[in-house]
């Protein structure tokens, strides 16, 4: 292990030293100063929240803590000892592990194999797995977090929430490699969990506090305040304040995150423009059925935002994908502006003026190594090509216009999109459907997932602007509050069927409880 003793021995006893401390951490990328002298610490047996807008430096800081990024300056201390994290293995040797936002499990292995992978110890003898021993080792970690998952279960048969538990159990194996009590980093662990699953996760985090320290990262500020003891806020690559969660409200964190009080009009209701007369119907769905949904009837008018809500497995995601030609259907008819919509594939949907922003942005919504410019014009070749050839000047003009209009923070249009923050990646994905000027129906599957409060507000503003131009929007919201705040009407789905429709006029919005009653 590459441990260097601090220059001066701390006068504090070991039990009072921070479990992990960062002093003056600096990291430069071309054109960007991602970390600008960050200071923060997490105490022993504490749950520390880490909050900040997209681009504030959170991801870079976490990667530095687990050895994926080497800082240009600054120090990291574990229990008062200065350390250098040169790799993930190095970080594990110091007792620091991370559950990544994008899960890192091997799907065709069992839970036990994933948990002990890379630290099999007595689970392997002479190059051969000792299956009983390996399962026992995995069960020890699952027992620590109170999980009832069968270690023999294949990982790809588990729910997302259960896979999160396997990830945590896997990280806890670092106890076998170090003399330190572990520091567990949870990066956006609730981003795709339902409310009941979130409560289960919070129970496990409180259990972890008994023998470990936890750094909890989430854009959902109410969750940060509920589960954490204290919150450190980053802004512009710097730590700008600590907030004790007792008595704090999300607005306290928001003010630190953006440096101002922000706007009370979070959903931009004041920008709604209602056309004179009765709006024309844009999308009409009758009797649409597929493997996970049946007999779905929907109507969306020009400029209307319709939200579909439902618990996991309700079928709403598959309905959204079916309207883009990305999910099989077996019956039904769909018309767009009075003409039958071809559901045979996504190419036909694009040609008809249908856009789709998928929930899994990094998997289905963008090509990471490709540039901002190429991602933005991926489905609209006509805006950048003359015949079969790309005309760089033509592409640059269109892309720069939308970078400016959407305030996309990027060093250059040629920057790889994977280098951008999540909020700016999402703006590029949205811009893809706007550059051609022919969008008529926009399908948004959790468009604000993983975005901070400022980036979410910018997405809401764009949705309002598109609605004002007549674009019809189908929204699968990230929360009931988001659906209520943005929708003109809300449709409830359960077990693959529509079970209710709820009016959602401005000034007379339903409550989350009103919707939950229809969902269960």
């Amino acid at each position: 292990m590459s441990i260097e003793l601090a220059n001066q021995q701390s006068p504090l006893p070991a039990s009072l030293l921070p479990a992990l401390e960062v002093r003056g951490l600096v990291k430069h990328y071309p054109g960007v100063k991602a970390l600008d002298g960050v200071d923060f610490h997490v105490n022993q047996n504490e749950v520390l929240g880490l909050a900040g807008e997209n681009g504030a430096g959170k991801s870079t800081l976490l990667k530095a803590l687990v050895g994926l990024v080497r800082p240009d300056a600054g120090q990291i201390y574990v229990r008062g000892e200065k350390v250098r994290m040169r790799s993930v293995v190095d970080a594990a040797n110091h007792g620091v592990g991370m559950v990544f936002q994008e899960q890192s499990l091997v799907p065709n292995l069992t839970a036990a194999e994933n948990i002990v992978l890379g630290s099999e110890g007595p689970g392997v003898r002479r190059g051969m797995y000792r299956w009983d021993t390996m399962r026992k080792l995995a069960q020890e970690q699952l027992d620590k977090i109170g999980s009832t998952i069968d270690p023999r279960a294949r990982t790809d048969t588990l729910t997302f929430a259960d896979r999160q538990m396997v990830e945590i159990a896997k990280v806890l194996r670092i106890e076998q490699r170090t003399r330190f009590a572990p520091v567990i980093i949870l990066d956006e662990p609730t981003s795709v969990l339902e409310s009941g699953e979130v409560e289960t996760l919070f129970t496990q985090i409180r259990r972890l506090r008994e023998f470990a320290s936890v750094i909890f990262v989430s854009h959902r500020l109410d969750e940060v305040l509920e589960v954490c003891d204290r919150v450190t806020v980053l802004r512009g690559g710097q730590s700008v304040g600590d907030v004790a969660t007792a008595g704090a409200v999300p607005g306290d964190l928001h003010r630190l995150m953006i440096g101002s009080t922000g706007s009370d009009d979070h959903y931009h209701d004041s920008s709604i423009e209602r056309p004179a007369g009765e709006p024309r119907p844009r999308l009409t769905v009758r009797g649409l059925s597929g493997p996970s949904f049946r007999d779905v009837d929907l109507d969306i008018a020009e400029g209307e935002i319709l939200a579909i809500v439902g618990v996991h497995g309700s079928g709403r995601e598959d309905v959204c994908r079916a309207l883009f030609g990305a999910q099989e259907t077996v019956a039904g008819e769909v018309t767009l502006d009075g003409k039958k919509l071809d559901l045979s594939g996504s190419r036909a949907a694009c040609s008809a003026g249908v856009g789709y922003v998928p929930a899994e942005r990094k998997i289905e919504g963008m090509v990471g190594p490709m540039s901002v410019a190429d991602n933005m014009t991926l489905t609209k070749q006509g805006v950048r090509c003359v015949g079969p050839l790309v005309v760089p000047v033509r592409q640059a003009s269109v892309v720069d216009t939308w970078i400016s209009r959407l305030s996309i923070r990027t060093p250059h249009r040629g920057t790889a999109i994977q280098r951008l923050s999540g909020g700016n990646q999402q703006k590029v994905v949205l811009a893809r459907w706007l550059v051609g000027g022919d969008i008529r129906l926009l399908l948004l599957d959790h468009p604000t997932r993983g975005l901070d409060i400022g980036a979410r507000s910018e997405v809401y503003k764009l949705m309002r602007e598109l609605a004002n131009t007549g674009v019809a929007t189908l929204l699968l919201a990230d929360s009931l509050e988001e659906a209520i705040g943005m929708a003109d009407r809300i449709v409830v789905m359960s077990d693959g069927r529509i079970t209710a429709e709820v009016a959602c006029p401005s000034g007379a919005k339903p409550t989350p409880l009103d919707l939950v009653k229809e969902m269960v």
Side-chain angles (χ1 to χ4, degrees):
M1 291 188 292
S2 52
I3 298 178
E4 300 176 9
L5 293 179
N7 293 333
Q8 293 183 345
Q9 185 66 33
S10 171
L12 294 173
S15 60
L16 297 180
L17 288 169
L20 180 70
E21 184 177 9
V22 168
R23 300 179 191 172
L25 221 58
V26 174
K27 180 62 182 179
H28 293 88
Y29 293 111
V32 178
K33 197 170 189 178
L35 299 178
D36 188 12
V38 170
D39 297 313
F40 92 101
H41 70 277
V42 56
N43 295 314
Q44 297 179 42
N45 306 108
E46 179 183 39
V47 180
L48 175 74
L50 192 62
E53 291 193 281
N54 292 107
K58 301 189 303 298
S59 294
T60 303
L61 175 58
L62 298 184
K63 289 176 181 177
L65 295 179
V66 294
L68 292 175
V69 164
R70 294 192 184 183
D72 300 318
Q75 293 83 39
I76 301 174
Y77 295 86
V78 176
R79 304 293 176 102
E81 292 182 307
K82 188 192 299 183
V83 301
R84 291 180 181 174
M85 306 298 196
R86 295 187 174 94
S87 67
V88 173
V89 173
D90 218 12
N93 289 338
H94 295 307
V96 181
M98 181 169 168
V99 176
F100 293 88
Q101 185 175 359
E102 289 81 27
Q103 293 182 337
S104 59
L105 302 177
V106 182
N108 62 340
L109 298 184
T110 65
E113 288 172 282
N114 271 287
I115 290 170
V116 303
L117 190 63
S119 59
E120 291 85 352
V124 171
R125 176 179 291 177
R126 296 176 183 174
M128 301 291 288
Y129 273 140
R130 302 171 66 196
W131 293 103
D132 289 343
T133 301
M134 187 172 63
R135 289 170 187 146
K136 181 179 179 182
L137 293 172
Q139 189 65 59
E140 289 175 0
Q141 306 307 321
L142 292 168
D143 289 344
K144 289 179 183 177
I145 55 175
S147 174
T148 58
I149 296 169
D150 185 346
R152 297 169 296 181
R154 269 180 54 129
T155 306
D156 55 8
T157 67
L158 301 176
T159 66
F160 188 92
D162 283 342
R163 294 199 302 271
Q164 287 284 58
M165 295 301 107
V166 174
E167 288 271 17
I168 293 173
K170 177 181 177 180
V171 170
L172 287 177
R173 281 284 293 166
I174 62 176
E175 287 184 300
Q176 313 303 316
R177 323 168 59 119
T178 175
R179 67 183 186 278
F180 300 111
V183 177
I184 308 300
I185 302 170
L186 303 177
D187 184 15
E188 294 287 349
T190 65
S191 60
V192 296
L193 300 184
E194 302 290 344
S195 58
E197 295 170 331
V198 170
E199 283 304 315
T200 299
L201 177 63
F202 284 0
T203 298
Q204 308 310 335
I205 291 174
R206 295 181 183 107
R207 190 189 299 264
L208 283 173
R209 184 198 279 122
E210 298 174 4
F211 59 89
S213 302
V214 179
I215 299 175
F216 179 84
V217 183
S218 176
H219 289 306
R220 299 174 178 175
L221 301 184
D222 55 337
E223 293 180 353
V224 173
L225 293 175
E226 178 180 347
V227 77
C228 297
D229 302 303
R230 183 169 52 89
V231 184
T232 293
V233 179
L234 300 185
R235 185 175 73 240
Q238 298 179 327
S239 42
V240 294
D242 268 7
V243 176
T245 57
V249 297
D252 299 329
L253 301 180
H254 190 205
R255 282 187 284 274
L256 282 172
M257 287 167 59
I258 67 175
S260 67
T261 58
S263 170
D264 292 332
D265 191 11
H266 185 53
Y267 295 110
H268 299 277
D269 289 344
S270 61
S271 66
I272 298 174
E273 298 176 5
R274 298 298 183 191
E278 194 71 21
R280 294 184 302 173
R282 171 135 285 177
L283 178 74
T284 302
V285 180
R286 293 292 178 266
L288 192 66
S289 299
S292 61
F293 57 89
R294 57 199 181 280
D295 301 324
V296 171
D297 294 340
L298 291 173
D299 294 280
I300 311 179
E302 282 185 335
E304 183 180 27
I305 299 175
L306 175 74
I308 304 181
V309 300
V311 299
H312 180 72
S314 64
R316 59 178 184 147
E317 289 87 359
D318 287 341
V319 169
C320 186
R321 293 176 65 87
L323 293 174
F324 191 62
Q327 175 72 40
E328 177 188 0
T329 58
V330 296
E333 185 173 280
V334 179
T335 61
L336 187 65
D337 289 333
K339 295 182 179 180
K340 185 176 180 180
L341 182 62
D342 184 355
L343 302 181
S344 62
S346 300
R347 184 184 296 273
C350 291
S351 299
V354 180
Y356 173 55
V357 175
E360 297 291 345
R361 176 176 61 246
K362 294 187 178 181
I363 298 174
E364 297 182 313
M366 68 186 213
V367 184
M370 284 175 55
S371 69
V372 168
D374 288 340
N375 269 279
M376 192 181 293
T377 56
L378 198 59
T379 60
K380 305 291 181 182
Q381 298 297 316
V383 304
R384 67 174 182 170
C385 295
V386 174
L389 302 176
V390 174
V391 180
V393 174
R394 183 171 179 171
Q395 182 184 41
S397 175
V398 172
V399 170
D400 287 348
T401 295
W402 283 100
I403 287 175
S404 175
R405 286 185 63 177
L406 300 185
S407 301
I408 298 172
R409 298 176 188 173
T410 177
H412 188 265
R413 77 180 82 90
T415 300
I417 191 174
Q418 63 191 8
R419 299 283 297 277
L420 273 56
S421 68
N424 288 295
Q425 289 173 353
Q426 192 72 321
K427 289 181 185 179
V428 174
V429 174
L430 281 164
R432 175 184 303 149
W433 303 110
L434 311 181
V435 294
D438 58 352
I439 190 72
R440 294 190 285 168
L441 171 66
L442 192 57
L443 309 170
L444 301 178
D445 187 353
H446 294 79
T448 61
R449 175 173 288 169
L451 304 189
D452 63 70
I453 191 169
R456 288 202 304 269
S457 183
E458 291 177 352
V459 171
Y460 299 151
K461 181 181 179 182
L462 178 59
M463 290 172 62
R464 294 291 187 207
E465 291 173 353
L466 292 172
N468 290 339
T469 66
V471 174
T473 303
L474 178 65
L475 171 66
L476 306 188
D478 206 38
S479 66
L480 293 180
E481 289 77 9
E482 182 176 88
I484 292 167
M486 287 302 300
D488 300 299
R489 283 184 300 122
I490 297 177
V491 166
V492 181
M493 286 192 69
S494 177
D495 295 326
R497 291 181 179 271
I498 292 177
T499 57
E501 181 178 310
V502 181
C504 204
S506 181
K509 298 282 191 178
T511 67
L513 184 59
D514 294 331
L515 299 179
V516 170
K517 290 177 181 177
E518 304 291 344
M519 290 165 58
V520 296

